[in-house]
Amino acid sequence: RDTSTVIAWGTVSMFALLIPATAVLIPEIVSPVVKAVPTFQITRALDGIINNGLAISEFTGPIIYVTVLDILFFASGFLLFRRRIAV
């Protein structure tokens, strides 16, 4: 793949991850699909802590959700893309 293709796919994925962040500005657009995207959980927690003065303990559910997804994605990436090193 060339550099242009990588940049294009990176841009598409960034827009997909930016959609949940707009839920802070326009809360009426939140749907169950948007709530499933990890960036929505992070944005909601940061908005509550920074702008509304809520405690971090009120967001343990979203933090656990994002942590579990991170572990799953890392493990699947490690298993799928590991390379065998010849000795």
Side-chain angles (χ1 to χ4, degrees):
R1 297 185 180 211
D2 60 347
T3 308
S4 302
T5 306
V6 173
I7 291 173
W9 280 111
T11 304
V12 169
S13 63
M14 282 300 294
F15 280 123
L17 294 174
L18 281 173
I19 292 171
T22 60
V24 172
L25 301 172
I26 312 168
E28 295 84 26
I29 66 166
V30 177
S31 69
V33 175
V34 172
K35 289 181 182 179
V37 179
T39 52
F40 173 77
Q41 303 297 333
I42 295 169
T43 305
R44 189 173 65 123
L46 288 174
D47 178 50
I49 293 167
I50 294 170
N51 295 330
N52 301 326
L54 301 175
I56 196 167
S57 61
E58 296 182 34
F59 297 101
T60 53
I63 291 172
I64 291 171
Y65 173 75
V66 171
T67 304
V68 167
L69 280 178
D70 286 343
I71 292 169
L72 288 174
F73 286 135
F74 179 79
S76 64
F78 181 77
L79 292 174
L80 289 173
F81 299 115
R82 70 178 174 194
R83 296 177 187 213
R84 300 193 185 267
I85 300 174
V87 179

